[in-house]
Amino acid sequence: MAINDSVGTATASHDFPDLAKAVRSFPVRDGEKPWTAREVQAVADELIGDVDRLTAELSAADAELSDLLRNSGDGAGDDQADSGSSALEREQELTLVNNTRDLLTQSSHALARISAGTFGTCESCGKAIGKARVQAFPRASLCVECKQREERR
């Protein structure tokens, strides 16, 4: 994906037409430098890469899970150990599918926030999440304080 700083456009499956203009509205914490179009584009590129990778992983995991469910009774016979092992394998694969689906949803949501101009804003309190936090974890939608409060519940 390329960025043209003069007009602030991105070319790929996600288009951010006025990125250079939109970044001015992205909040930062006290002491942080304002977002630049290049910084946001780097985060968007990472998220787009994640979406592509996770989509492929989800497709493969869904196929694996379908195979496990389809063959759940084959060859197990009456052996409880085989049945238990098969059930554990299905449960682990289902957990992986659900985790991948969650990450895909979070990544897509972060890209939508960039497009909507709400990127970097805490969805709970409306304050800045913080550039360092978002750059380390681009799917972050809560500031540290709100995330800590959520985890205590």
Side-chain angles (χ1 to χ4, degrees):
M1 180 179 297
I3 182 166
N4 178 337
D5 279 339
S6 62
V7 268
T9 60
T11 57
S13 59
H14 287 81
D15 192 24
F16 307 109
D18 293 319
L19 189 57
K21 186 172 143 185
V23 297
R24 293 185 207 127
S25 68
F26 295 166
V28 293
R29 290 179 167 257
D30 290 338
E32 290 180 333
K33 292 182 179 178
W35 283 99
T36 66
R38 194 170 301 283
E39 288 171 329
V40 175
Q41 188 64 56
V43 172
D45 289 345
E46 181 180 342
L47 288 166
I48 290 167
D50 286 349
V51 166
D52 292 344
R53 178 184 53 81
L54 291 167
T55 300
E57 284 179 18
L58 188 57
S59 178
D62 275 339
E64 176 71 22
L65 184 59
S66 293
D67 286 346
L68 286 172
L69 292 173
R70 197 174 17 261
N71 301 324
S72 63
D74 293 353
D78 293 327
D79 189 349
Q80 290 180 335
D82 285 346
S83 294
S85 178
S86 293
L88 180 62
E89 191 176 354
R90 283 190 308 274
E91 190 171 313
Q92 287 174 331
E93 194 63 33
L94 186 58
T95 298
L96 287 174
V97 167
N98 286 333
N99 288 345
T100 302
R101 201 171 273 132
D102 287 346
L103 282 174
L104 181 58
T105 299
Q106 290 172 12
S107 296
S108 297
H109 182 64
L111 285 168
R113 287 168 46 89
I114 292 172
S115 293
T118 59
F119 184 72
T121 305
C122 178
E123 291 183 338
S124 180
C125 69
K127 295 180 183 172
I129 293 173
K131 278 177 70 172
R133 175 168 166 73
V134 174
Q135 288 172 325
F137 185 68
R139 291 175 288 280
S141 61
L142 298 174
C143 65
V144 172
E145 295 82 10
C146 290
K147 184 65 176 173
Q148 288 173 338
R149 190 174 24 246
E150 178 187 87
E151 288 176 353
R152 282 194 293 261
R153 290 182 197 163

